Amino acid sequence: MTKLISSIAICFALLLPLTAEQKKAKMTPEAVELMAKIGKASGVGENVKKIKTMTQKATMTVLGMNITGKIAIMAKGDKMHIETKMASMVETQILDGEEGWAESMTTGIRKLSTAELLTLQGDSLKYMFNQEDFFDEIQLAGKEQFNGEECYKFIYIKEGLKPTQNFFSVKTLLPVGEKQVIASPMGEMPTTVTIKKLVKHELGFLYPSQIEQSMGAMKMKLSIDSFSINDNIDDAIFEKPQD
Amino acid sequence: MKYFKLLLIGFFIVNQFCSAQTSSKIIVAYDEMVSLMNKHYFDATYSGVNWPELTKETRQKIIAAETQEDKYEHIQNLLKNLKHSHLAFNPPFAQEKEIEIPTGYPKNMDFQFDSVNGNWVVTAVNEDSPAEEAGLRPGMVIKKLNKWPTAELYKKHGAMAYYYLRNTLHFYPKSKIKLTIDFKGEEQVISYKLNAFSGKYEQLGHIMDPSEFREKTLDENIGYIHFSIYLVNPVRKAIKAIKKMRDQGVDGIILDLRNNPGGMAMLSTAIAKEFCTENYSLGTQKGRETTLKFPVFAQPKPFKGKLVILSNKYSASTSEVMAAGMQTNKSTVVVGEVSAGMALPSVLVSLPDESVFQYPVADFKTVDNKTLEGIGVIPDVEVSHTLESLEAGRDLYIETAIKIIKEGK
């Protein structure tokens, strides 16, 4: 479930532009220039500075297996609260800046591992619009076919995380998917996310509303049910879960 | 084949039967099945058979076959070559012809049974149930279910027969059951009404099962918990019961996994964590692309007393994962018989012809790298029912577990 959770945020992050201004991530001028074009194609610019909180709700379906679930993500600055309901089970992940916890029937309350924490931090609102401040390096790795489409391939690198490959259509410059190795308590899971549909927010940017995610023999579909910004989110939901 | 094979793997039963399918749909389904196997089947050697050649031959046979039954039989014959558990192709119609097809809503069996020396023997009967009122008691040998001789089932299906019989009883299509019984050499007929299932009928995707749960505190201040399948509700109840027993200060807990066919694999960690003082893993599942752990996280207030897990030859899949994984703890003792040896993590998918296909995507290994598939969990203390003990109303498993807890061994 953890993979699904982050995939919504990750895909959203794909849309974000990198400015020409010098940031933390090491990038070639060619990569900076191309990323700026990608951001423009996705309608992302000064408008995103108006976003203070973000709430996403989605339905997930495990394809071929008759299993459905719900995900709700609430993000505010460097805090996130993610709740996944599937098969009568609820899993909660919480990020509160430099700390994070998870709670589920299978694990009880536990601290997030370093890799899990980093993944959530990268997906948080703080870095969602500043990916170049989160990653150590973003490489433009040429062109590659993804989901039958010729794409620019970017590799996002961060110490403590496996590199993520992000793909953008050469034709439209829009994001089409990513390949990532996701950290979980069970171990590392290679996963491929394909963006099936993008919709335009009233602020003018595009965000993925339908996503497919493959992990080995499992294939899941996510459909965003609602996407809202600047809802009033109580900080209490970002506190450590209690026994 | 449909019912018991699916239940065995501990994942599900499917009780929707569809109308006839066209030949082309079967071929499309077959091609998808082969594609899934080629990508994700855990054993890249396919048990040493020439998989590409066999699949090609089977495709030709399916095209040439005249009836749908024959077409599906070719698919099932192909899978039999691999000789692994958790591998089942279940067409959208019933395959079994030897007994009425169980299509009814689930019913209370009201008794437990086991195979003792090749006979099906009643091991426990629910108190105040119609079965008890009709005179059913432990030690009775079930010779016939209506006119159907149950011994034939064992001869034909071996260990799988238990799940078939259990499921047949749960989904018996008639409201009254007639059992021909042998008790201490005397044959009698016991007939009683099957009530609608009083427990929780739970479904997760293609997994559906009437889940049973029992808990009690024995006179010896020992907690006893039994649940019939690893689905969310019974496991949630088990966790609650463990916490309650911990707070009551019981001397030990008996977790009865006899006849438990498994279910959702990760729920094994949900229970194991309630006994966990330091993080560990129950084992690993090794697939083609990944090796994943079954992590168990230490809890702030775990139960620290002795745990005895009861296991028998019908404890399968997730039951085996948990028993084998927890067996490494000094405070856990596994009592009973060698388990089923069917412990391959698997997935179930619908195919275009509405068949449901289950296939293993990983091999489970214990922390000391032992496989359970085809071997099973070896108990620390071996115990089996005997006809004599059951006739005397004794449960040797529970007696042994109580002794172990009381003696602190």
Side-chain angles (χ1 to χ4, degrees), chain A residues 7-69:
Chain A
S7 70
I8 298 178
I10 288 165
C11 286
F12 189 81
L14 291 176
L15 304 178
L16 303 172
L18 290 170
T19 64
E21 182 187 341
Q22 186 58 46
K23 296 284 188 173
K24 179 189 165 190
K26 187 177 156 194
M27 294 176 74
T28 62
E30 187 189 6
V32 171
E33 187 184 347
L34 187 54
M35 265 299 184
K37 289 179 183 171
I38 284 169
K40 194 176 174 187
S42 299
V44 181
E46 290 296 309
N47 49 358
V48 299
K49 289 184 179 170
K50 295 176 185 170
I51 301 174
K52 304 300 176 196
T53 70
M54 184 182 289
T55 305
Q56 295 180 77
K57 291 181 180 171
T59 299
M60 58 185 173
T61 307
V62 185
L63 297 177
M65 296 188 191
N66 268 2
I67 298 173
T68 58

Side-chain angles (χ1 to χ4, degrees), chain B residues 114-406:
Chain B
D114 194 355
S115 63
V116 179
N117 300 328
N119 288 310
W120 298 109
V121 184
V122 177
T123 57
V125 182
N126 291 351
E127 287 178 14
D128 302 325
S129 66
E132 189 186 59
E133 285 169 19
L136 198 67
R137 66 174 67 180
M140 289 182 160
V141 177
I142 305 168
K143 306 297 280 187
K144 286 183 187 171
L145 173 60
N146 279 355
K147 293 178 181 175
W148 179 55
T150 53
E152 285 181 13
L153 191 68
Y154 198 86
K155 284 176 196 162
K156 186 170 179 182
H157 300 298
M160 305 286 281
Y162 171 81
Y163 306 104
Y164 184 76
L165 184 54
R166 173 187 179 274
N167 220 34
T168 299
L169 288 161
H170 265 312
F171 289 91
Y172 201 65
K174 295 172 184 172
S175 59
K176 220 170 179 187
I177 196 167
K178 190 168 81 175
L179 301 172
T180 303
I181 295 297
D182 184 319
F183 189 56
K184 297 182 179 177
E186 286 186 21
E187 193 167 290
Q188 56 183 294
V189 174
I190 291 180
S191 183
Y192 65 93
K193 189 172 179 244
L194 289 163
N195 287 328
F197 186 67
S198 55
K200 175 84 177 173
Y201 186 57
E202 194 169 348
Q203 178 169 2
L204 169 63
H206 297 298
I207 308 174
M208 288 182 278
D209 198 59
S211 56
E212 294 165 344
F213 177 83
R214 289 196 301 279
E215 64 159 290
K216 58 185 171 183
T217 304
L218 306 177
D219 293 341
E220 296 83 356
N221 193 35
I222 291 171
Y224 171 87
I225 298 167
H226 163 84
F227 59 97
S228 63
I229 189 165
Y230 283 82
L231 287 174
V232 175
N233 282 309
V235 169
R236 188 171 278 146
K237 285 180 190 171
I239 291 169
K240 195 175 169 188
I242 293 164
K243 287 179 174 169
K244 187 177 82 180
M245 289 167 183
R246 174 200 66 197
D247 294 344
Q248 283 173 348
V250 297
D251 295 333
I253 292 177
I254 299 169
L255 199 52
D256 190 349
L257 300 182
R258 288 177 290 179
N259 308 329
N260 187 319
M264 287 173 67
M266 287 312 295
L267 288 179
S268 57
T269 62
I271 291 184
K273 79 177 190 308
E274 299 303 328
F275 300 90
C276 179
T277 52
E278 279 183 43
N279 293 357
Y280 72 105
S281 175
L282 294 176
T284 58
Q285 47 177 330
K286 187 170 170 47
R288 287 220 189 158
E289 296 176 325
T290 55
T291 298
L292 300 174
K293 293 181 287 187
F294 284 82
V296 183
F297 288 90
Q299 298 302 297
K301 289 193 285 182
F303 178 77
K304 291 180 179 172
K306 187 69 99 182
L307 169 67
V308 177
I309 294 175
L310 305 185
S311 177
N312 70 359
K313 52 191 170 292
Y314 306 118
S315 305
S317 200
T318 306
S319 295
E320 297 181 280
V321 167
M322 198 179 93
M326 294 190 73
Q327 202 174 22
T328 57
N329 298 337
K330 284 179 184 169
S331 56
T332 302
V333 179
V334 178
V335 167
E337 298 173 323
V338 176
S339 63
M342 293 184 262
L344 298 176
S346 65
V347 294
L348 298 91
V349 292
S350 301
L351 296 176
D353 66 338
E354 298 182 40
S355 295
V356 175
F357 176 49
Q358 177 172 26
Y359 64 106
V361 293
D363 187 14
F364 176 79
K365 303 259 189 181
T366 60
V367 283
D368 44 1
N369 208 33
K370 288 178 188 162
T371 189
L372 296 180
E373 178 72 0
I375 295 170
V377 180
I378 312 298
D380 300 300
V381 181
E382 285 207 40
V383 177
S384 290
H385 285 304
T386 65
L387 192 56
E388 294 72 26
S389 64
L390 289 169
E391 284 174 349
R394 297 174 60 197
D395 186 328
L396 298 181
Y397 291 75
I398 292 179
E399 288 180 14
T400 306
I402 291 171
K403 194 177 171 193
I404 288 169
I405 291 170
K406 293 314 263 183

Side-chain angles (χ1 to χ4, degrees), chain B residues 35-46:
Chain B
S35 170
L36 290 169
M37 288 287 284
N38 290 344
K39 285 181 199 161
H40 306 301
Y41 188 63
F42 81 104
D43 176 12
T45 71
Y46 298 90

